[in-house]
């Protein structure tokens, strides 16, 4: 099929933007209170990171089957089915709070994360309908939709808490129910709006120069693919490691959901708000420089967080904003960099494998964050995050000749 006409491309990206904006609003609200709900149910912060970790494990495990569904039935089927499952998972998690069941809450968060894999893969649908020289910007527009969640998710924590209490429910069930409603709305938008399916517009002509590798395993040996995955994985790990325990760190200092919402709101704003600019720079100057810049920002943000006390709201706001910004640079540029080095026949499968690795590593970071906080404190946790950034730097140095050669061949127009 020929490339998508501009009018159809704009409409499909608009649908992806709207669905992602809703889904991220509910996801951010739900994940933010997950550690607080766990601490309330268990009376300890040791496993406070488990709900977020379980949700991220759900995303990781859900990525491969949802990507396979997309490869067979299209992006529309994968996104809408996934978000429908996410809505059901959030309802289970909300019910578990009332039943005082930590195990059921974790199970609901797993299903919630599993379904959200569909939303996470939606950024690649924007690349499907875009020419090669505009893929970073197209991906960035869908990532930018997360700005809606960055602003509304934290701002709706207290209103949804009060609304839940008015209906006789546990206050923290309110943000989780918001997650269910937002996921259901995202599924509906994708089901009715993604017509024709974005995968039908994949431009195979732009991939003629790419080697048709025989398997995903052989693709994973390519230096550019290894660096892209290393950058995506480490960016996710560092971001999750610090962000997950920040609400607990703040509440232990004596502040409430209002301050938690402010700090996490700044963080998610950094994650999403500058995405179009990130995409433009990535298309204009190359994906590689933007990825490296993101790794530098991650180190700076982690070191700032390590020096902040739980009551130092301003420093935490700045540190968490930069943490989100560094993640954004790596996520937008890294996603486009991975896509341009994936042959068309294996593209969706490679994207699914890469995302599974990203979310699995993020889950490990979320789960370990509570133990690190309890054992050594927030400062050490943040220093660990800064140290992890050495991994993609080492990969880039090791494969520098092959990666720079690939970059010169694939430099954006």
């Amino acid at each position: 099929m020929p490339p998508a006409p501009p009018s159809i491309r704009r409409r499909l990206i608009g649908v992806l933007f709207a669905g992602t904006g809703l889904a991220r609003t509910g996801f951010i609200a739900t994940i933010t209170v997950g550690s607080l709900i766990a601490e309330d149910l268990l009376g300890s912060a040791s496993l406070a990171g488990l709900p977020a970790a379980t949700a991220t494990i759900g995303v990781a495990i859900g990525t491969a089957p949802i990507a396979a569904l997309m490869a067979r039935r299209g992006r529309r089927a994968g996104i809408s089915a996934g978000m429908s499952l996410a809505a059901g998972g959030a309802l289970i998690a909300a019910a578990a709070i009332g039943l005082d069941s930590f195990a059921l809450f974790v199970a609901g968060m797993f299903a919630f994360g599993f379904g959200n894999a569909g939303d996470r893969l939606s950024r690649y649908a924007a690349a499907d309908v875009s020419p090669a020289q505009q893929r970073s910007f197209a991906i960035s527009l869908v990532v930018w939709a997360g700005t809606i969640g960055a602003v509304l998710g934290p701002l709706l924590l207290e209103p949804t808490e009060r609304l839940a209490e008015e209906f006789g429910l546990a206050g923290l069930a309110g943000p989780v129910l918001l997650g269910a409603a937002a996921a259901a709305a995202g599924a509906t938008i994708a089901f009715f709006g993604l017509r024709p399916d974005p995968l039908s517009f994949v431009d195979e002509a732009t991939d003629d120069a790419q080697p048709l590798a025989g398997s995903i395993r052989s693709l994973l040996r390519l230096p550019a693919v290894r660096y892209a995955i290393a950058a995506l994985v480490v960016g996710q790990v560092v971001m999750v490691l610090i962000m997950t325990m920040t609400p607990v760190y703040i509440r232990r200092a004596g502040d409430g959901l209002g301050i938690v919402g402010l700090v996490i709101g700044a963080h998610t704003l950094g994650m999403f708000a500058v995405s179009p600019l990130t995409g433009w720079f990535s298309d204009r100057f190359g994906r590689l420089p933007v990825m490296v810049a993101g790794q530098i920002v991650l180190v700076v943000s982690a070191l700032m967080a390590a020096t902040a006390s739980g009551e130092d709201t301003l420093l935490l706001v700045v540190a968490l904003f930069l943490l989100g910004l560094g993640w954004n640079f790596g996520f937008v540029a890294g996603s486009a960099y991975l896509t341009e080095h994936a042959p068309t026949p294996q593209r969706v499968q490679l994207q699914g494998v890469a995302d599974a690795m990203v979310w699995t590593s993020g889950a490990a970071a979320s789960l370990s964050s509570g133990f690190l906080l309890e054992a050594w404190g927030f400062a050490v946790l943040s220093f660990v995050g800064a140290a992890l950034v050495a991994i993609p730097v080492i990969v880039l140095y090791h494969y520098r000749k092959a990666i720079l050669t690939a970059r010169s061949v694939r430099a954006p127009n």
Side-chain angles (χ1 to χ4, degrees):
M1 190 169 183
S7 59
I8 293 179
R9 183 190 315 152
R10 287 192 295 269
R11 180 176 62 78
L12 291 176
I13 292 178
V15 169
L16 293 166
F17 182 94
T20 294
L22 281 166
R24 295 298 169 86
T25 297
F27 188 85
I28 289 170
T30 302
I31 291 297
T32 299
V33 299
S35 59
L36 304 179
I37 293 169
E39 188 175 36
D40 289 345
L41 291 175
L42 296 174
S44 168
S46 295
L47 293 176
L50 184 58
T54 304
T56 310
I57 290 171
V59 175
I61 294 176
T63 297
I66 290 179
L69 176 61
M70 288 179 175
R72 293 195 307 270
R73 303 287 299 276
R75 299 286 190 188
R76 170 176 163 266
I79 296 171
S80 58
M83 294 313 298
S84 297
L85 178 60
L91 288 175
I92 293 171
I97 299 171
L99 296 171
D100 198 28
S101 173
F102 181 70
L104 186 61
F105 179 67
V106 170
M109 292 297 286
F110 174 82
F112 181 64
F114 191 104
N116 265 283
D119 171 61
R120 295 301 187 273
L121 288 165
S122 67
R123 71 189 189 276
Y124 292 119
D128 294 338
V129 300
S130 302
Q133 66 271 21
Q134 296 177 14
R135 283 177 183 159
S136 292
F137 186 70
I139 289 171
S140 75
L141 290 177
V142 177
V143 175
W144 189 35
T147 306
I148 298 172
V151 175
L152 290 183
L155 287 179
L156 290 173
L157 293 179
E158 285 189 315
T160 53
E161 181 184 36
R162 291 195 298 268
L163 185 61
E165 289 171 348
E166 288 179 6
F167 282 91
L169 302 173
L172 290 179
V176 181
L177 289 171
L178 172 63
T188 302
I189 288 173
F191 183 79
F192 290 104
L194 288 180
R195 300 168 185 268
D197 194 275
L199 270 180
S200 64
F201 294 109
V202 170
D203 185 7
E204 299 190 20
T206 63
D207 301 302
D208 290 341
Q210 296 183 14
L212 293 178
S215 68
I216 293 298
R217 179 175 297 180
S218 58
L219 280 178
L220 292 174
R221 296 192 187 102
L222 297 176
V225 170
R226 288 189 173 186
Y227 178 63
I229 292 176
L232 288 167
V233 166
V234 171
Q236 185 73 16
V237 167
V238 175
M239 185 270 291
V240 169
L241 191 69
I242 297 172
M243 180 273 292
T244 303
M245 284 300 108
T246 298
V248 175
Y249 187 54
I250 292 172
R251 190 167 74 166
R252 285 184 173 183
D255 290 318
L257 279 184
I259 299 300
V260 171
L262 176 64
V263 174
I264 298 302
H267 169 64
T268 51
L269 196 66
M271 289 177 68
F272 305 118
V274 300
S275 293
L277 189 60
T278 303
W280 183 84
F281 271 110
S282 184
D283 285 333
R284 178 67 179 83
F285 300 107
R287 283 84 186 189
L288 192 60
V290 176
M291 294 161 72
V292 172
Q295 288 148 26
I296 294 171
V297 175
L298 284 175
V299 171
V300 172
S301 65
L303 295 178
M304 289 180 66
T307 63
S309 71
E311 297 175 336
D312 198 343
T313 302
L314 179 59
L315 186 55
L316 284 173
V317 164
V318 175
L320 269 290
F321 173 81
L322 291 176
L323 182 68
L325 186 65
W327 174 89
N328 175 273
F329 285 179
F331 193 70
V332 171
S335 297
Y337 193 70
L338 178 70
T339 296
E340 71 182 0
H341 288 89
T344 301
Q346 295 99 348
R347 179 172 296 165
V348 176
Q349 189 179 359
L350 180 62
Q351 290 165 346
V353 169
D355 270 19
M357 296 170 69
V358 168
W359 308 127
T360 300
S361 301
S366 181
L367 184 59
S368 63
S369 62
F371 292 103
L372 285 171
L373 181 69
E374 293 286 57
W376 291 295
F378 192 74
V380 171
L381 181 151
S382 300
F383 281 128
V384 169
L388 288 171
V389 180
I391 294 174
V393 173
I394 292 171
V395 173
L396 177 59
Y397 179 79
H398 182 72
Y399 293 111
R400 60 190 181 281
K401 290 184 179 179
I403 289 174
L404 290 174
T405 300
R407 180 191 175 205
S408 66
V409 170
R410 302 176 190 280
N413 296 329

